[in-house]
């Protein structure tokens, strides 16, 4: 009730429509994102161009002038080299944090394209070579690094030959040896340039990987490629010096030399030996036979990095410092996340030799359907960590996540034996449900995966799985059905699942997903077809259509420790961003204090010692400054998750009650095509041809998860179809979800 003289807060003719405000906000957001994108690309292109052309004389002189101009009394030449080589990468990381924050969780745009279009990162080019399946985008990266290496070696060799004229050496043999040593020096520098990028792909929660939306499981192969190139360069670097010293008769003296000013040789020898151990044990023949040997020797990276810093000194080490620092940040954060004990809510052993674990998760920790978790179960091993693909959709439940594990090795055998032994000891089994007083705990790192759910960006999907490779596609299918039911943006409308298994006892894995329960009448929106191939059985079993009982099922008591920790690089972007920024500021502060109170007053000039002190500053900034942010993050996470944890406790009874009915064969699953063929393998040429005729000129997302032979077959078919494509035919976009360390 208003008085006579009262006026509305806003006059009618001055009311700003909500749609106008929304459009203005969207325009401002898009403009900000465009500016950030431009700034990041500008910094990267300038930085990469400098690295590429620095072998040229005039660029090298420009670098020297820039170094002299930026050399201050406090930081010295170390600060200049760090500013030129490392700071651009950190600046891009800072801008990426802002970009990811304002991007938020963008809704999937349901816009049907008029015609198909090629994408460099989903177009397979090389398949059977030493690099495996290589897309067009990856081929460009390989060529750039190859061209840079050849270009730099060539330019430096020409410069060194011209440089020999400055030395008054008339003996041809001595001139040759000097050229050999100079070439070794240049190879070491080129190796440092490659090392800038070496650690970036294995920082699992790196903001840079999130920015370009390349998940850790895909980026690992880039680390492998760069590792081979870097170690080849460093090995040649050391070998050329060894040859020159041996000819000159001073090999032993030089190998054990530890100069105070200049390059310290012995730390370099130690670093190279550690690198060679890592390199040899990472080769496929060794890694596949003895993975644990590969894993444990790879921890020598600490020795490799520390002694490299002592070998070259602090200012030379700053060339590759940024990538190593970002990896240290990720590793320290993973250490904190893995310290928390996580409750396993239920464990099932299926007759197909598969184990399902349902793990407690905090409500605020988000993941995509194509996510990964690293699991350690201390009852089985204190050292072993294993990656597994998530088999549940984030929409299945906010307080838990599920994974499927194929029993293949010693660790998985122990896991199945552990679960079955618990089931046998307890006597309270009723209708396949075991109420156990026993608990099973795990340590978890992750979840990791794509920053955005790329499976939702294709209207047409072909999902090809081999055996347990169906696990991530269960998550995809569940995610799509949930979104259709809840009217959330979801582009997929046509989905074909091609699944190859060895025996029919694996069929319950896919048949267990009750599609109509997830989304009644989904066939009005989604055209789903499933083709299953049982390769080692010529006839269906007598019990066809009947789901086999589980060997054992354990539903554990209500959670006591709660879900996995939210302290993960792919988690809250504000906290993870603050962690990176504050730690970087801490590095600058630590180096400044060290120089001001110790190095400069006491005139510390030993290169190796200053290199060691710099690595200590890097570690101290991560532990002290980064640890402070992690502590605040943990307190905030504990406070905000208290309510969600209590809700999870209250809902746990419902989880127990429904768990026995999750895996059932729905009698109403007649709303989609479900074909099971025995004694044959899928003919992908015929399958892809049929889909091409049916769907026409569209983009088809092809996702494969399974053995390398299966991935190769799919990549070949995609490449063949794309190269021979007619104007009215689709483009097949190849996406691999195989994670093979």
């Amino acid at each position: 009730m208003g008085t006579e003289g009262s006026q509305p807060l806003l006059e009618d003719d001055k009311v700003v429509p909500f749609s106008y405000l929304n459009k203005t906000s969207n325009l401002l957001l898009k403009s900000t994102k465009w500016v950030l994108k431009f700034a990041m690309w500008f910094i990267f292109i300038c930085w990469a161009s400098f690295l590429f052309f620095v072998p040229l004389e005039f660029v090298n002189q420009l670098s020297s002038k820039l170094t002299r101009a930026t050399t201050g009394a406090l930081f010295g030449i170390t600060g200049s080299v760090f500013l030129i080589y490392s700071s651009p990468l950190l600046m891009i990381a800072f801008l990426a944090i802002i970009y990811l924050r304002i991007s938020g969780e963008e809704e999937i745009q349901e816009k049907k394209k008029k015609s198909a279009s090629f994408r460099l990162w989903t177009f397979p080019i090389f398949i059977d070579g030493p690099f495996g399946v290589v897309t067009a985008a990856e081929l460009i990266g390989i060529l750039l690094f190859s061209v840079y290496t050849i270009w730099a070696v060539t330019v430096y060799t020409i410069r060194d030959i011209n440089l020999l004229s400055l030395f008054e050496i008339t003996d041809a043999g001595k001139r040759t040896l000097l050229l050999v040593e100079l070439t070794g020096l240049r190879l070491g520098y080129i190796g440092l340039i490659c090392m800038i990028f070496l650690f970036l792909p294995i920082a699992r929660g790196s903001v840079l990987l999130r920015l370009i939306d390349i998940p850790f499981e895909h980026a690992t192969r880039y680390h492998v490629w760069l590792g081979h190139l870097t170690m080849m360069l460093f090995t040649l670097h050391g070998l050329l010096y060894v040859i020159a010293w041996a000819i000159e008769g001073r090999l032993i003296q030089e190998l054990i030399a530890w100069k105070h000013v200049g390059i310290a040789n012995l730390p370099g020898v130690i670093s190279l030996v550690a690198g060679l151990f890592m390199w040899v044990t990472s080769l496929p023949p060794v890694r596949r036979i003895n993975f644990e040997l590969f894993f444990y020797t790879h921890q020598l990276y600490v020795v490799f990095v520390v002694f490299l810093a002592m070998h070259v000194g602090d200012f030379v080490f700053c060339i590759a410092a940024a990538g190593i620092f970002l990896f240290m940040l990720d590793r320290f954060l993973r250490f904190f996340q893995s310290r928390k004990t996580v409750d396993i809510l239920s464990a099932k052993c299926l007759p197909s030799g598969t184990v399902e674990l349902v793990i407690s998760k905090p409500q605020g920790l988000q993941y995509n359907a194509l996510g990964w978790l690293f699991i350690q179960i201390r009852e089985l091993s204190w050292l072993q960590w294993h990656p597994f693909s998530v088999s549940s959709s984030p929409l299945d439940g906010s307080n838990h996540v599920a994974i499927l594990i194929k029993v293949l090795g010693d660790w998985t055998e122990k896991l199945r034996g552990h679960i079955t032994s618990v089931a046998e000891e307890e006597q309270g089994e009723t209708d396949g449900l075991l109420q156990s007083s026993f608990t099973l705990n795990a340590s978890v790192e992750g979840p990791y995966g794509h920053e955005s759910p790329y499976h939702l960006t294709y209207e047409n999907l072909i999902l090809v799985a081999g055996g347990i490779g169906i696990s991530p596609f269960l998550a995809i299918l569940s995610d799509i059905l949930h979104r259709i039911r809840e009217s959330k943006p979801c582009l997929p409308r046509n989905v074909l699942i091609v699944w190859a298994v060895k025996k029919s006892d694996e069929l319950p894995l896919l048949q267990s997903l009750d599609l109509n329960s997830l989304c009644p009448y989904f066939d009005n929106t989604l055209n789903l077809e499933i083709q299953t191939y049982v390769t080692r059985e010529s006839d269906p079993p007598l019990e066809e259509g009947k789901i086999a009982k589980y060997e054992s099922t354990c539903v554990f008591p209500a959670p006591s420790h709660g879900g996995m920790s939210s302290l993960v690089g792919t988690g809250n972007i504000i906290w993870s961003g603050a962690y990176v920024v504050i730690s970087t500021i801490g590095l600058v502060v630590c180096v400044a204090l060290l120089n001001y109170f110790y190095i400069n007053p006491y005139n510390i000039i030993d290169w190796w010692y200053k290199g060691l002190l710099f690595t200590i500053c890097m570690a101290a900034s991560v532990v002290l400054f980064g640890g402070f942010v992690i502590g605040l993050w943990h307190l905030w996470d504990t406070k905000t998750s208290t309510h969600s944890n209590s809700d999870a406790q209250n809902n746990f009874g419902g989880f127990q009650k429904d768990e026995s009915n999750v895996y059932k064969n729905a009698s109403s699953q007649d709303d989609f095509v479900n074909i099971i063929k025995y004694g044959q393998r899928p003919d992908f040429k015929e399958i892809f041809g049929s889909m091409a005729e049916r769907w026409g000129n569209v983009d088809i997302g092809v996702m494969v998860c399974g053995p390398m032979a299966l991935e190769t077959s799919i990549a070949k078919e995609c490449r063949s179809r794309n190269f021979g494509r007619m104007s009215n035919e689709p483009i097949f976009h190849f996406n691999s979800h195989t994670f093979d360390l």
Side-chain angles (χ1 to χ4, degrees):
M1 298 288 293
T3 62
E4 182 178 351
S6 65
Q7 296 288 335
L9 294 178
L10 289 174
E11 297 286 352
D12 290 344
D13 59 346
K14 296 181 180 180
V15 173
V16 180
F18 176 77
S19 59
Y20 174 79
L21 293 175
N22 194 34
K23 289 181 179 178
T24 303
S25 176
N26 288 337
L27 180 61
L28 179 62
L29 184 64
K30 290 181 179 179
S31 300
T32 305
K33 290 174 63 177
W34 185 89
V35 171
L36 289 171
K37 275 186 177 180
F38 175 81
M40 288 185 288
W41 272 111
F42 179 78
I43 294 172
F44 177 77
I45 291 174
C46 292
W47 175 62
S49 299
F50 166 77
L51 295 179
F52 191 89
F53 291 108
V54 75
L56 295 176
E57 182 66 30
F58 81 93
V59 178
N60 188 49
Q61 292 178 356
L62 179 63
S63 174
S64 299
K65 291 180 181 179
L66 185 60
T67 300
R68 289 192 295 268
T70 56
T71 298
L74 182 59
F75 293 100
I77 190 174
T78 302
S80 298
V81 175
F82 187 88
L83 183 66
I84 295 172
Y85 285 89
S86 290
S87 64
L89 199 59
L90 296 175
M91 290 172 61
I92 294 173
F94 297 162
L95 295 175
I97 293 168
I98 303 173
Y99 180 83
L100 292 172
R101 177 63 186 91
I102 66 174
S103 295
E105 297 181 3
E106 295 183 346
E107 294 292 336
I108 304 298
Q109 299 296 321
E110 296 191 80
K111 294 181 180 180
K112 183 176 180 180
K113 293 183 178 181
K114 295 182 179 180
S115 60
S117 58
F118 289 102
R119 301 171 190 172
L120 294 177
W121 54 91
T122 60
F123 195 116
I125 301 295
F126 294 123
I127 295 172
D128 296 322
F131 298 101
V133 179
V134 178
T135 64
E138 292 170 339
L139 178 61
I140 292 173
I142 293 173
L143 290 176
L144 285 176
F145 274 95
S146 301
V147 169
Y148 166 74
T149 304
I150 298 172
W151 146 269
V153 170
T154 303
V155 173
Y156 278 131
T157 301
I158 295 173
R159 284 181 57 186
D160 291 339
I161 292 174
N162 296 330
L163 190 64
L164 290 178
S165 60
L166 300 178
F167 296 90
E168 296 180 357
I169 302 176
T170 57
D171 185 84
K174 291 183 178 181
R175 290 171 62 89
T176 302
L177 290 178
L178 179 58
L179 181 61
V180 169
E181 292 190 21
L182 288 174
T183 304
L185 176 65
R186 304 302 191 184
L187 290 174
Y189 171 79
I190 298 171
L192 280 175
I193 297 298
C194 294
M195 196 172 167
I196 294 175
F197 305 92
L198 179 63
F199 286 86
L200 297 179
I202 53 172
R204 298 176 187 173
S206 169
V207 67
L208 296 177
L209 292 182
R210 296 180 65 180
L211 173 67
I212 58 180
D213 200 15
I214 296 180
F216 164 71
E217 67 270 15
H218 289 179
T220 303
R221 67 203 306 247
Y222 309 144
H223 170 75
V224 174
W225 299 347
L226 286 168
H228 289 317
L229 176 60
T230 303
M231 284 310 305
M232 181 186 69
L233 291 169
F234 282 157
T235 302
L236 290 174
H237 159 73
L239 185 61
L240 289 180
Y241 273 104
V242 166
I243 292 173
W245 294 336
I247 293 175
E248 294 174 348
R250 54 191 180 100
L251 177 60
I252 303 300
Q253 298 93 315
E254 290 290 349
L255 288 179
I256 63 175
W258 197 310
K259 297 179 182 178
H260 295 287
V261 178
I263 300 297
N265 293 340
L266 184 55
V269 173
I270 297 173
S271 177
L272 182 58
V273 170
L276 288 174
F277 269 111
M278 290 189 292
W279 191 20
V280 171
T281 55
S282 68
L283 297 175
V286 180
R287 188 178 72 246
R288 290 170 183 169
I289 295 174
N290 194 333
F291 180 83
E292 290 191 358
L293 177 63
F294 151 74
F295 178 79
Y296 296 139
T297 54
H298 240 62
Q299 308 314 308
L300 290 172
Y301 73 85
V302 178
V303 177
F304 175 74
V305 170
V306 172
F307 280 89
L308 174 64
M310 297 169 67
H311 171 57
V312 299
D314 56 338
F315 69 93
V316 178
F317 181 72
C318 281
I319 293 175
I324 298 172
F325 184 67
L326 291 175
F327 170 76
M328 291 172 65
L329 288 171
D330 178 77
R331 188 65 190 88
F332 189 63
L333 187 58
R334 287 195 282 122
F335 170 79
F336 265 91
Q337 187 192 28
S338 63
R339 293 309 92 194
K340 184 177 182 180
T341 304
V342 182
D343 292 301
I344 294 179
L345 304 181
S346 75
K348 296 190 179 86
C349 293
L350 284 68
S352 60
T354 303
V355 173
E356 185 208 42
L357 300 181
V358 179
I359 304 171
S360 177
K361 180 188 77 69
Q363 188 171 357
L365 184 59
Q366 303 298 320
Y367 69 96
N368 288 324
L370 287 170
W372 290 86
L373 291 175
F374 282 77
I375 304 292
Q376 177 207 52
I377 299 179
R378 295 176 183 176
E379 287 84 355
L380 307 181
S381 173
W382 279 81
L383 297 176
Q384 294 188 39
W385 288 83
H386 296 269
F388 298 105
S389 178
V390 171
S391 61
S392 60
S393 163
L395 301 177
D396 283 336
S398 59
N399 296 310
H400 68 272
V401 59
I403 59 175
L404 290 172
I405 302 172
K406 183 69 173 179
V407 179
L408 293 174
D410 294 338
W411 189 88
T412 51
E413 285 284 0
K414 290 180 182 178
L415 176 61
R416 180 170 64 175
H418 195 72
I419 297 171
T420 54
S421 63
V422 173
E424 292 171 357
E425 290 176 5
E426 297 289 343
Q427 300 297 324
E429 186 173 0
T430 305
D431 294 330
L433 180 63
L434 176 65
Q435 300 289 347
S436 172
S437 60
F438 182 82
T439 59
L440 186 62
N441 301 316
S443 296
V444 177
E445 290 183 5
Y448 304 108
H450 280 271
E451 181 68 14
S452 59
Y454 74 93
H455 61 281
L456 298 176
T457 62
Y458 296 103
E459 184 178 5
N460 309 279
L461 285 173
I462 297 179
L463 311 178
V464 184
I468 194 61
I470 195 64
S471 175
F473 300 152
L474 293 177
I476 287 180
L477 194 54
S478 177
D479 198 45
I480 293 174
L481 293 176
H482 275 296
R483 287 178 173 273
I484 293 175
R485 185 185 66 186
E486 299 172 15
S487 299
K488 291 188 175 184
C490 180
L491 200 57
R493 291 295 179 266
N494 303 296
V495 178
L496 168 65
I497 298 178
V498 181
W499 186 29
V501 298
K502 294 179 180 179
K503 296 184 179 181
S504 57
D505 59 2
E506 298 184 58
L507 296 180
L509 287 176
L510 182 56
Q511 295 175 355
S512 60
L513 195 63
D514 189 352
L515 305 182
N516 285 280
S517 175
L518 288 174
C519 181
Y521 309 110
F522 69 87
D523 58 306
N524 295 331
T525 308
L526 180 68
N527 297 316
L528 175 63
E529 180 178 346
I530 301 175
Q531 298 181 14
T532 305
Y533 295 82
V534 184
T535 60
R536 295 189 180 180
E537 294 180 2
S538 57
D539 298 304
L542 296 177
E543 300 84 4
E544 184 183 15
K546 184 178 180 180
I547 302 299
K549 292 184 178 180
Y550 294 100
E551 293 178 1
S552 58
T553 303
C554 301
V555 176
F556 298 110
S560 56
H561 301 92
M564 64 186 74
S565 172
S566 297
L567 303 179
V568 59
T570 53
N572 188 294
I573 187 60
I574 296 178
W575 281 109
S576 60
Y579 172 63
V580 174
V581 173
I582 299 299
S583 298
T584 305
I585 295 174
L587 174 60
V588 176
V589 171
C590 287
V591 174
L593 293 176
L594 180 69
N595 286 334
Y596 186 79
F597 289 104
Y598 182 60
I599 291 180
N600 293 340
Y602 292 95
N603 194 28
I604 305 298
I605 60 174
D606 297 7
W607 285 25
W608 71 268
Y609 186 43
K610 292 172 70 174
L612 176 62
L613 291 176
F614 189 84
T615 58
I616 293 175
C617 286
M618 292 173 65
S621 63
V622 172
V623 173
L624 298 178
F625 290 82
F628 174 73
V629 176
I630 290 176
L632 295 179
W633 188 356
H634 175 70
L635 293 176
W636 174 85
D637 181 60
T638 302
K639 183 178 180 180
T640 56
S641 62
T642 301
H643 183 265
S644 61
N645 284 342
S646 62
D647 290 343
Q649 293 267 1
N650 295 332
N651 294 332
F652 186 74
F655 172 82
Q656 284 185 317
K657 179 181 66 177
D658 296 337
E659 196 64 27
S660 60
N661 296 321
V662 170
Y663 286 89
K664 60 185 180 180
N665 190 19
S667 59
S668 58
Q669 289 188 1
D670 296 324
D671 302 323
F672 62 93
V673 179
N674 187 7
I675 302 172
I676 302 178
K677 299 181 179 180
Y678 291 86
Q680 58 180 293
R681 298 180 181 274
D683 184 350
F684 294 114
K685 186 176 183 64
E686 190 277 331
I687 293 173
F688 278 52
S690 175
M691 294 302 106
E693 293 180 3
R694 186 186 306 179
W695 293 341
N697 183 15
V698 296
D699 290 303
I700 298 179
V702 180
M703 302 180 190
V704 57
C705 183
M708 184 57 64
L710 179 64
E711 180 179 334
T712 300
S713 299
I714 299 302
K716 285 182 178 179
E717 190 59 34
C718 289
R719 182 182 63 179
S720 175
R721 291 282 172 183
N722 291 341
F723 277 139
R725 174 180 178 265
M726 305 296 290
S727 59
N728 61 338
E729 292 181 340
I731 294 176
F732 293 90
H733 298 273
F734 175 81
N735 299 274
S736 172
H737 194 65
T738 302
F739 187 16
D740 183 15
L741 282 176

